[in-house]
Amino acid sequence: MKFYSTNKQVQEVSFEDAVVQSLPEDNGLYFPSSIHEIDSDFLEKLSDISLGELGYELLNPYCEGSIPSEKLKEIAYEAFNFDIPLVSLGDKLYSLELFHGPTYAFKDVGARFLARCLGYFNTKQSRESLILVATSGDTGGAVAAGFHNVPGVKVVILYPSGKVSELQEKQLTTLGGNITALEVDGTFDDCQDLVKKAFLDSDLKSLGLSSANSINIARWMPQSIYFWWAYKQAQDKNNLVFSIPSGNYGNITSGMLAKKMGLPIKRFIAASNANDVIPRYLITGQYDPRPTVHTYSNAMDVNNPSNYVRLLELYHHKLENILKDLEGFQLDDEATLRAMQDGLSRYNYTLDPHGAIGYNSLQKKLAPGETGVFLETAHPCKFAPIMEKANAKWTPPAFAESLMNRKKQSILISRKYDDFKSFLTEF
Ligand SMILES: *Cc1c(COP(=O)(O)O)cnc(C)c1O
């Protein structure tokens, strides 16, 4: 399959080139030239297949021509090797727990697949690459773990100083080796802009840059798998509504991709914190990013989501089409704490601040006859101070404690592109 740029100023490329280049030269995003539709009997087959096999089946049509089937199977089975349980809270309400991977957030799904694809392409071409990744909290950790000690790959992670949780910071600053953390005096959007500028800078061509953000199709597309996995596990499969705590909109647009491929999902809710550019867009029709606000759900502190263009592409740039499938929802910090407390008192279920926004949106927006699934996007242990504010209980996994004792190593830089560029040229 070929991939085109959403700005349509450059030629279509193979899966391999789209992954390695990550960002097309015309500053669009890569998008598959056709959406592979799954036969309806595939839904019946779902009950018998493993997560690895599901990943292979869904991704194979897109990787054809770049990764031989047998190799892809191996990659998928290795990458998708942890549990993604759908937990019933009763009352036609489910939590899809995406935090059982090695770094305790859904980013593991895409990061592990991408790391293996790039590793395969690099070995085949004897190429070295430098991965740039901007993180609002969880991507950095997942990418650091996914790429640690992968030969031929160096990783530079940019994160907003003081705006990620302590555990998230430890995850991305303590591995060392081929992983370097840059602590940027700015917001996530500043980090994302620096990365995008570096990709478009012809002076840096020789560095072999790739991106591990959801702008990369090999990070973005695998995330559609767990929507199928949720469907497989749901008792009540009719009128499923997915509520997705959203920041950069990679997760929700991958769910929409699943729907376009044939998964019977009724509709989606974009659950956001005070950084609510998409919910406002859905109401006014104006895309109007405002300065980023720092919130309790820090992984969603994004004001100009990259994947907005993929949302437009999926619905042929027609707001009326988008509105048939998508509703917006916004929750401030105080209401997020109340939602966390509500989850505990009503269902005895511990919600992290991100999942809590997804949960609350279903409480407010689910219609009679619908079944709601919210995505629990990260483990509560990553947000200890907020959990305490909400008086929520949670058990810190053993890994968290040992991680907290490790020494942070980061390099402070400003948000000026010239500083970042000179760092990269001397790196
Ligand atoms: C990354 C992240 C999000 C937002 O996902 P997007 O794909 O950027 O919309 C939500 N919650 C958590 C915990 C995250 O790590």
Side-chain angles (χ1 to χ4, degrees):
M1 169 132 13
K2 294 280 187 198
F3 291 79
Y4 67 90
S5 164
T6 52
N7 280 349
K8 307 209 167 84
Q9 302 298 308
V10 290
Q11 295 258 310
E12 293 191 342
V13 298
S14 65
F15 179 79
E16 174 169 354
D17 287 343
V19 173
V20 172
Q21 271 182 30
S22 312
L23 195 69
E25 276 171 18
D26 64 1
N27 201 14
L29 289 194
Y30 281 119
F31 198 84
S33 59
S34 66
I35 292 182
H36 181 78
E37 284 180 37
I38 296 289
D39 299 338
S40 53
D41 59 357
F42 184 73
L43 288 175
E44 268 120 66
K45 248 176 57 186
L46 269 182
S47 56
D48 302 323
I49 71 178
S50 67
L51 186 64
E53 188 174 351
L54 176 66
Y56 163 74
E57 293 275 353
L58 293 173
L59 295 168
N60 193 33
Y62 299 101
C63 300
E64 251 167 29
S66 289
I67 308 182
S69 296
E70 278 313 302
K71 183 68 201 174
L72 183 69
K73 210 172 243 182
E74 193 184 305
I75 290 176
Y77 277 75
E78 268 179 39
F80 314 128
N81 68 345
F82 48 85
D83 199 17
I84 302 183
L86 185 73
V87 175
S88 170
L89 305 187
D91 300 346
K92 293 190 153 213
L93 182 65
Y94 292 99
S95 167
L96 184 66
E97 292 188 347
L98 292 164
F99 55 73
H100 297 275
T103 71
Y104 290 65
F106 79 87
K107 308 295 200 303
D108 283 323
V109 173
R112 288 168 64 78
F113 182 74
L114 168 64
R116 283 162 179 80
C117 289
L118 263 178
Y120 170 70
F121 296 143
N122 279 358
T123 317
K124 205 174 59 168
Q125 309 277 3
S126 318
R127 183 175 37 211
E128 306 228 309
S129 48
L130 178 58
I131 313 275
L132 299 182
V133 60
T135 184
S136 59
D138 288 323
T139 296
V143 168
F147 283 93
H148 192 219
N149 295 333
V150 172
V153 179
K154 284 195 277 187
V155 179
V156 172
I157 302 171
L158 294 86
Y159 74 98
S161 179
K163 297 187 179 70
V164 303
S165 82
E166 202 182 346
L167 194 114
Q168 288 172 330
E169 187 173 42
K170 293 278 184 179
Q171 285 185 314
L172 55 96
T173 57
T174 59
L175 283 177
N178 62 334
I179 314 290
T180 302
L182 291 185
E183 187 172 350
V184 178
D185 184 16
T187 62
F188 167 75
D189 289 280
D190 293 325
C191 298
Q192 180 151 271
D193 286 346
L194 290 175
V195 169
K196 284 191 177 167
K197 277 207 183 93
F199 274 96
L200 302 173
D201 188 337
S202 50
D203 296 347
L204 301 179
K205 276 275 166 296
S206 61
L207 296 179
L209 297 180
S210 292
S211 162
N213 281 105
S214 57
I215 58 176
N216 195 313
I217 49 160
R219 245 293 307 281
W220 177 61
M221 300 184 85
Q223 295 175 170
S224 65
I225 294 167
Y226 41 70
F227 292 86
W228 299 80
W229 197 245
Y231 178 88
K232 163 187 160 122
Q233 295 174 76
Q235 287 287 331
D236 204 336
K237 299 184 196 297
N238 293 322
N239 297 320
L240 281 181
V241 178
F242 279 86
S243 166
I244 294 113
S246 294
N248 218 6
Y249 283 74
N251 209 359
I252 196 165
T253 48
S254 70
M256 292 166 164
L257 177 69
K259 177 166 178 173
K260 301 267 171 193
M261 287 175 70
L263 183 65
I265 295 175
K266 186 177 175 202
R267 62 191 186 97
F268 298 89
I269 301 173
S272 91
N273 62 24
N275 300 287
D276 61 346
V277 60
I278 298 290
R280 283 186 288 112
Y281 161 72
L282 296 175
I283 291 167
T284 65
Q286 302 295 316
Y287 183 75
D288 175 27
R290 293 179 185 157
T292 317
V293 184
H294 185 46
T295 73
Y296 292 163
S297 44
N298 67 284
M300 290 151 57
D301 293 347
V302 183
N303 81 67
N304 189 9
S306 274
N307 288 290
Y308 167 62
V309 294
R310 287 199 175 114
L311 172 68
L312 296 180
E313 209 63 26
L314 281 159
Y315 292 95
H316 307 290
H317 294 254
K318 292 209 170 73
L319 181 59
E320 71 260 34
N321 294 355
I322 296 176
L323 290 173
K324 283 185 197 137
D325 276 2
L326 180 64
E327 182 178 16
F329 179 80
Q330 193 263 43
L331 206 66
D332 68 22
D333 276 348
E334 289 312 311
T336 302
L337 294 183
R338 285 198 297 277
M340 291 162 75
Q341 288 154 355
D342 185 71
L344 275 177
S345 60
R346 209 185 283 253
Y347 298 108
N348 194 27
Y349 188 76
T350 304
L351 295 154
D352 95 289
H354 306 77
I357 298 179
Y359 163 83
N360 195 248
S361 74
L362 290 176
Q363 302 272 307
K364 299 274 165 62
K365 302 281 189 187
L366 208 61
E370 291 179 334
T371 296
V373 180
F374 67 92
L375 306 196
E376 234 318 347
T377 43
H379 193 287
C381 73
K382 295 189 131 180
F383 314 100
I386 318 296
M387 300 307 292
E388 276 155 27
K389 271 197 199 3
N391 294 318
K393 60 178 163 61
W394 83 101
T395 321
F399 97 98
E401 224 166 296
S402 65
L403 194 62
M404 292 308 269
N405 293 328
R406 299 183 64 154
K407 193 166 151 35
K408 158 181 162 182
Q409 282 181 299
S410 67
I411 299 169
L412 268 166
I413 64 161
S414 78
R415 57 186 182 156
K416 291 202 201 84
Y417 179 66
D418 286 346
D419 291 348
F420 180 49
K421 183 170 175 175
S422 48
F423 166 83
L424 286 178
T425 37
E426 287 154 27
F427 186 57

